Amino acid sequence: MKREELLQVAKPILFNTDMVRAILEGRKTVTRRLPSKKIEDKWLKYDEWVVAVAPPGSTSLTEKEFYEKYPPYQPGDILYVRETWNISNMWSSGNKVTFIYRGDKSEEDSAMTISVSDGTFDKYGEMMYENMPEWRPSIHMPKEAARIFLKVTDVRVERLRDMTDKDALNEGAQGVRCDHASLGPYGCTDCMNTGWLEPPMVEFMQIWDSTIKKSDLDRYGWDVNPWVWVIEFERVIEEQN
């Protein structure tokens, strides 16, 4: 698909800078997301209704089954990544705006220049010259600044801690591998023959908890093992005009 076509159908998804880099490097092909608070509230109301109103012996949905009725995305959906960004330059000739992204190693690597409408150009001009922070948060990244597109290949619900080290690798965690330097007659005493000094799942656990507000850790933290949406995806490379 061409860029214009992708932008017409793409839905937003946020990633922090480390996860953007993992996507760009081809290490991240899946993301786990909590059900929205809106859907959680629906579940609580439904559960209360079942307990209070449903006749004895009625078949009711489990929490997992309920969430499965409200997927955040469907296989085949196109997503555009919202990431930490900024404006580096503007040209009135052609209404051109150059965006840069924190996920790349240098401004030269990440710069993307596009032409925008008169009104949009004026809006970016005000942003650039009146308030110029080093970086702007991903939640405020405009759709036209999107440079990474993803295609959803699978969506399912599971418990957070049902994942494996392979799943953690696909999430972008890397872990610390063991080179078996201390290998002896009874095997490696450094990693106990697992191949990992720090398993990827341990790193992912730390990544997960770092994204949860401290006040919500007792509801959504790794130790609580909440239900999550597992969203698998692949990069979409836009066709050139």
Side-chain angles (χ1 to χ4, degrees):
M1 297 175 71
K2 295 181 179 179
R3 176 177 177 81
E4 295 76 14
E5 296 172 317
L6 291 169
L7 287 172
Q8 285 179 359
V9 300
K11 302 175 181 179
I13 186 169
L14 271 70
F15 286 101
N16 65 31
T17 297
D18 287 339
M19 294 300 98
V20 167
R21 289 172 181 160
I23 291 172
L24 292 173
E25 293 168 7
R27 295 187 290 106
K28 186 172 180 66
T29 58
V30 64
T31 183
R32 282 162 171 77
R33 303 291 168 113
L34 292 163
S36 69
K37 285 186 168 59
K38 182 178 179 181
I39 300 304
E40 280 192 329
D41 288 343
K42 279 189 176 184
W43 156 253
L44 291 173
K45 290 180 181 178
Y46 169 80
D47 194 39
E48 290 173 358
W49 175 85
V50 169
V51 171
V53 179
S58 296
T59 300
S60 60
L61 297 175
T62 64
E63 187 174 5
K64 179 184 178 183
E65 291 170 335
F66 186 87
Y67 291 147
E68 287 172 338
K69 290 169 59 68
Y70 300 95
Y73 306 107
Q74 296 280 0
D77 281 352
I78 302 296
L79 314 179
Y80 73 93
V81 173
R82 279 183 162 173
E83 55 180 307
T84 305
W85 65 292
N86 212 341
I87 305 165
S88 68
N89 219 330
M90 298 179 66
W91 294 269
S92 57
S93 176
N95 284 359
K96 293 182 179 179
V97 180
T98 296
F99 298 106
I100 55 174
Y101 307 88
R102 193 176 186 180
D104 278 333
K105 295 179 181 178
S106 69
E107 181 175 320
E108 291 74 19
D109 288 338
S110 65
M112 181 180 73
T113 301
I114 63 172
S115 294
V116 298
S117 67
D118 290 344
T120 301
F121 185 82
D122 291 342
K123 178 189 71 175
Y124 287 137
E126 293 175 4
M127 291 172 60
M128 184 172 182
Y129 295 113
E130 292 181 9
N131 179 23
M132 193 61 178
E134 182 178 7
W135 294 108
R136 300 178 187 274
S138 55
I139 189 67
H140 295 148
M141 192 194 87
K143 192 172 187 177
E144 61 262 23
R147 61 163 181 156
I148 302 174
F149 296 93
L150 311 173
K151 181 179 180 180
V152 177
T153 57
D154 188 52
V155 181
R156 62 185 184 275
V157 178
E158 59 182 50
R159 288 288 189 183
L160 178 62
R161 289 167 60 180
D162 285 348
M163 68 189 306
T164 64
D165 278 329
K166 181 180 178 181
D167 293 329
L169 286 171
N170 290 336
E171 278 274 6
Q174 299 182 82
V176 180
R177 294 185 183 274
C178 180
D179 59 7
H180 297 293
S182 302
L183 185 63
Y186 302 105
C188 180
T189 57
D190 290 332
C191 71
M192 305 306 292
N193 292 336
T194 65
W196 297 102
L197 294 176
E198 180 179 275
M201 197 147 42
V202 172
E203 182 181 334
F204 178 78
M205 173 189 70
Q206 296 166 346
I207 293 171
W208 177 267
D209 279 353
S210 72
T211 67
I212 306 296
K213 293 180 181 178
K214 288 185 178 180
S215 58
D216 287 338
L217 281 173
D218 60 344
R219 295 181 62 195
Y220 305 123
W222 175 265
D223 290 341
V224 182
N225 197 23
W227 289 109
V228 292
W229 280 103
V230 182
I231 303 158
E232 296 183 6
F233 56 80
E234 59 187 21
R235 283 282 305 276
V236 176
I237 305 302
E238 56 191 84
E239 298 175 8
Q240 300 300 314
N241 293 322

